[in-house]
Structures are given as structure tokens and as C-alpha cells.
Amino acid sequence: MTTALPGIDLILFDCDGTLVDSEIVAADAWVEHSARFGVSITAVEALEKFKGVNMADCVAEIERLAGSPLPASFVTELRDLMAIMFRARLQPIAGALELVQSLAVPFCLASNAPRDKIELCLRVTGMLPYFEGRIYSAYDVRKWKPDPALFLHAAAAMGVAPARCAVVEDSLPGVKAGLAAGMTVFALQSEDHVLTLPDGVHVIRELAELPGRLAPAANLS
């Protein structure tokens, strides 16, 4: 087990694309479901448009492409399709399960996704027991990243000052939310997934790097 990390009293993990490899699965669901309403997009386009973006803005973009409003059932049906695909295909991000099994410093999860989706993803990938009672959804505070409200809410609930928190994110909205919250931010960026990031963000290529980079978190990438 790793020891508690100097200067950091809480790690806030994003879920999609950070702990679970759900982004491409969700993109495939967007492609399939959007096609039912005459909207043709590719999985790559869905990733570019919707990664880290709240559902309302994603739906607004599909409505723009469709040229007409979508039915009220659109999101529920999309969520149902995603759930089916997650149960069949979802895998943890490399090193995620091992990391949450070994960390001694407290950690929690703060995601733009609804709680039932978060819990499904964690359950399928074997990580739910490590986050019981420490899951925070943007739907709880009705504000979504890049707004920092979710991270600040999670830190307050865990009793830790923002300056003593580290955020682990893979999306630009999440990175911006972490910076706005006054937290140390680590961006998980694989070689084939590179964002133009704001100044002051630490880059890690895999989750296994995190403990070493947090002690101390002084050398920016």
C-alpha cells in the first residue's frame, strides 16, 4: 500500500475516461441512437463533440444537426442503450483498479454523469466497493464541469480544503473545473489523446504514474 501523499489530503477522480474506458462505448451509443433520428455522426465526431460535456449541451447539438427538437424520451432511451453496451463491453482504464486498491490517501469520485450511470460503470469494472459513500454527481448540485461547483461540493463533503485536493481528469471541462476550484490538476493523456491544456496542469500518461507525481507535485509537464 502506498503511503499518504505529502501536501495532498484528498484525490478527486473523474469517472468516464479516467477510471473506466467508457468514452468510445458511449460514442458508439450516440452514433447508433442519433441515427434513429436521421443524424449521421461518427464515433470520432461524437468523442470530439461530447467528451466531458453535459448531456443537455450534447442533446442540443444533436437537435441542431437534426434541424428539429428531439422527443422527451431521447435521453432515457440513450441511457438505456449505453447501459446495455457498458454491461457488455466496459473495461477499467489500465491501472485504475490497482490504483484504488493501493492508495492510502483518501479519494472520492466527482463526475458529470448521473449517479446510476456512475455506479453501473464502477460495478461492471469491479471498483464500486472502493467508492461506496464517496460518489458525487453533478446532478446533485445541478452544475456541470467546467463549473467548479461539483469539485468544491465533493471537497467540502469530504472535509478537505480545495488547496489540499488533487483532481485527476481526462477532459478539458474537467481540467478547467479543477483549476477553477483551486486544486492541483492532473490530466490523464495517452499518447493518442492529447489536449491543449491550460498552464499549471500536470500531465500523466497512465494512472500508475500518479502516486509518484504527487510526492511532490512540483514538476509540471
Side-chain angles (χ1 to χ4, degrees):
M1 176 177 289
T2 59
T3 57
L5 302 168
I8 297 297
D9 296 328
L10 178 68
I11 301 173
L12 294 86
F13 289 101
D14 178 45
C15 186
D16 296 302
T18 300
L19 292 176
V20 301
D21 197 8
S22 56
E23 303 285 10
I24 189 60
V25 183
D28 287 345
W30 275 105
V31 170
E32 180 176 326
H33 193 54
S34 297
R36 299 171 184 169
F37 299 89
V39 176
S40 178
I41 60 172
T42 67
V44 171
E45 289 171 334
L47 280 170
E48 291 175 349
K49 292 177 182 291
F50 304 146
K51 183 178 176 65
V53 179
N54 73 74
M55 179 62 77
D57 290 343
C58 296
V59 172
E61 174 63 11
I62 296 298
E63 289 183 327
R64 186 188 69 81
L65 294 171
S68 62
L70 295 167
S73 61
F74 180 89
V75 172
T76 299
E77 293 168 353
L78 174 65
R79 296 281 193 204
D80 290 344
L81 178 59
M82 285 183 180
I84 291 169
M85 290 184 169
F86 288 154
R87 290 187 183 99
R89 296 169 47 189
L90 191 62
Q91 297 293 322
I93 292 290
L97 182 57
E98 294 81 359
L99 180 63
V100 299
Q101 287 174 330
S102 65
L103 279 174
V105 63
F107 57 89
C108 65
L109 188 152
S111 168
N112 268 356
R115 183 175 297 272
D116 57 352
K117 179 195 172 189
I118 298 168
E119 292 181 350
L120 172 63
C121 289
L122 294 177
R123 185 177 300 110
V124 169
T125 55
M127 287 184 278
L128 184 57
Y130 301 98
F131 289 94
E132 292 280 10
R134 290 175 288 133
I135 294 171
Y136 302 96
S137 165
Y139 286 78
D140 298 335
V141 295
R142 308 305 299 178
K143 291 185 180 296
W144 286 262
K145 306 168 192 175
D147 191 298
L150 174 61
F151 285 147
L152 294 173
H153 168 70
M158 296 289 293
V160 179
R164 306 285 295 183
C165 295
V167 166
V168 185
E169 274 280 355
D170 71 307
S171 73
L172 192 55
V175 165
K176 290 179 176 179
L179 291 175
M183 300 177 177
T184 300
V185 178
F186 288 84
L188 178 62
Q189 303 284 282
S190 63
E191 296 295 343
D192 58 353
H193 173 65
V194 179
L195 296 173
T196 300
L197 297 166
D199 293 339
V201 176
H202 305 260
V203 174
I204 55 174
R205 297 300 181 191
E206 55 185 23
L207 288 173
E209 295 177 28
L210 183 64
R213 295 294 301 276
L214 276 166
N219 297 315
L220 299 184
S221 299

